[in-house]
């Protein structure tokens, strides 16, 4: 299996990045026009504060749940976390992802391939089935560091390997943290109407994805097989 083994896979990666950027910008414009009070950071933080300690706990639980059930991309929730909680939202996102990933890894290791086949779609399973076996921990670092890849699904597949679960979890948290920090800064920027910052981060993220796409063959050649 290869990260960019087909033109369809490469187009899907670029498409997902573009759609995510358009959604973030579209939501920001819509909120500014039809619900401007929501863009007032003081109003947002006051609303969150009224929920007391339960708001962060609920958000962490939601991030953990999305890893297991994958109804919402984790980076999208990280944007929401930045909007609601400011920069500390990155901590809540990473904590939630760590908890959810721990659950997935344990279930994958305990119940094996039948569990993975239930939680991972056929298309993703076909494309990434032997990824961890082929590229090992370094491959996990690459995938978890780059946006748009199905890292939650690959987390489940990683649980089928002989790599220690603790090692996989540490690699996952360290590799995914920068992406969640950037997503959180986007949300915090939207809350503070810092649209130049938001656009700058989105453009930078898109540039990284495009750069990886253009250098895909060199990237694959540089990855030693496990």
């Amino acid at each position: 299996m290869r990260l960019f083994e087909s033109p369809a896979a490469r187009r899907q990666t670029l498409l997902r990045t573009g759609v995510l950027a358009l959604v973030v910008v579209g939501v920001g414009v819509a909120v500014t026009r039809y619900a401007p009070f929501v863009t007032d950071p003081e109003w947002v933080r006051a609303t969150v504060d009224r929920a007391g300690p339960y708001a962060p706990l609920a958000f962490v639980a939601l991030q953990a749940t999305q890893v297991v059930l994958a109804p919402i991309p984790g980076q999208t929730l990280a944007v929401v976390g930045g909007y609601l909680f400011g920069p500390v939202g990155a901590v809540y996102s990473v904590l939630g992802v760590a908890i959810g990933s721990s659950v997935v890894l344990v279930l994958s290791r305990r119940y094996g391939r039948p569990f993975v086949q239930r939680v991972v779609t056929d298309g993703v399973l076909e494309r990434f089935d032997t990824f961890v076996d082929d590229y090992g921990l370094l491959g996990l670092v690459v995938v978890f560091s780059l946006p748009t890849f199905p890292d939650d699904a690959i987390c489940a597949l990683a649980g089928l390997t002989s790599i220690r679960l603790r090692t996989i979890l540490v690699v996952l948290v360290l590799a995914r943290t920068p992406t969640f920090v950037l997503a959180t800064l986007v949300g915090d920027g939207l809350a503070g109407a810092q649209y130049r910052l938001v656009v700058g981060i989105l453009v930078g993220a898109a540039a990284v994805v495009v750069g990886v796409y253009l250098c895909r063959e060199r990237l694959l050649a540089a990855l030693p097989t496990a």
Side-chain angles (χ1 to χ4, degrees), residues 31 35-41 43-45 48 77-87 89 183-193:
V31 168
F37 61 90
V38 177
T39 62
D40 180 359
W43 181 88
V44 173
R45 305 286 157 72
V48 172
L77 278 181
V79 173
V80 175
Y83 191 88
L84 294 176
F85 304 107
T184 301
L185 291 177
V186 169
D188 188 43
L190 289 174

Side-chain angles (χ1 to χ4, degrees), residues 55-191:
L57 291 176
F59 181 78
V60 169
L62 184 59
Q63 270 288 24
T65 301
Q66 70 81 20
V67 176
V68 180
L69 302 180
I72 307 171
Q75 290 88 347
T76 302
L77 278 181
V79 173
V80 175
Y83 191 88
L84 294 176
F85 304 107
V88 74
V91 177
Y92 300 149
S93 286
V94 172
L95 178 59
V97 167
I99 294 172
S101 298
S102 299
V103 172
V104 170
L105 287 170
V106 170
L107 291 175
S108 178
R109 184 65 55 89
R110 173 66 177 82
Y111 296 105
R113 194 169 185 84
F115 166 76
V116 174
Q117 290 175 328
R118 286 196 295 270
V119 299
V120 177
T121 62
D122 292 339
V124 172
L125 186 60
E126 181 180 354
R127 289 171 54 203
F128 292 91
D129 196 4
T130 62
F131 176 81
V132 184
D133 289 330
D134 290 343
Y135 294 109
L137 285 175
L138 182 57
L140 288 179
V141 171
V142 171
V143 169
F144 290 145
S145 299
L146 297 174
T148 76
F149 287 105
D151 26 28
D152 294 336
I154 295 175
C155 177
L157 289 169
L160 298 178
T161 69
S162 60
I163 303 174
R164 293 178 61 184
L165 297 186
R166 184 185 305 174
T167 302
I168 297 172
L169 185 62
V170 169
V171 169
L172 182 149
V173 170
L174 292 179
R176 295 190 73 176
T177 293
T179 301
F180 280 101
V181 169
L182 289 177
T184 301
L185 291 177
V186 169
D188 188 43
L190 289 174

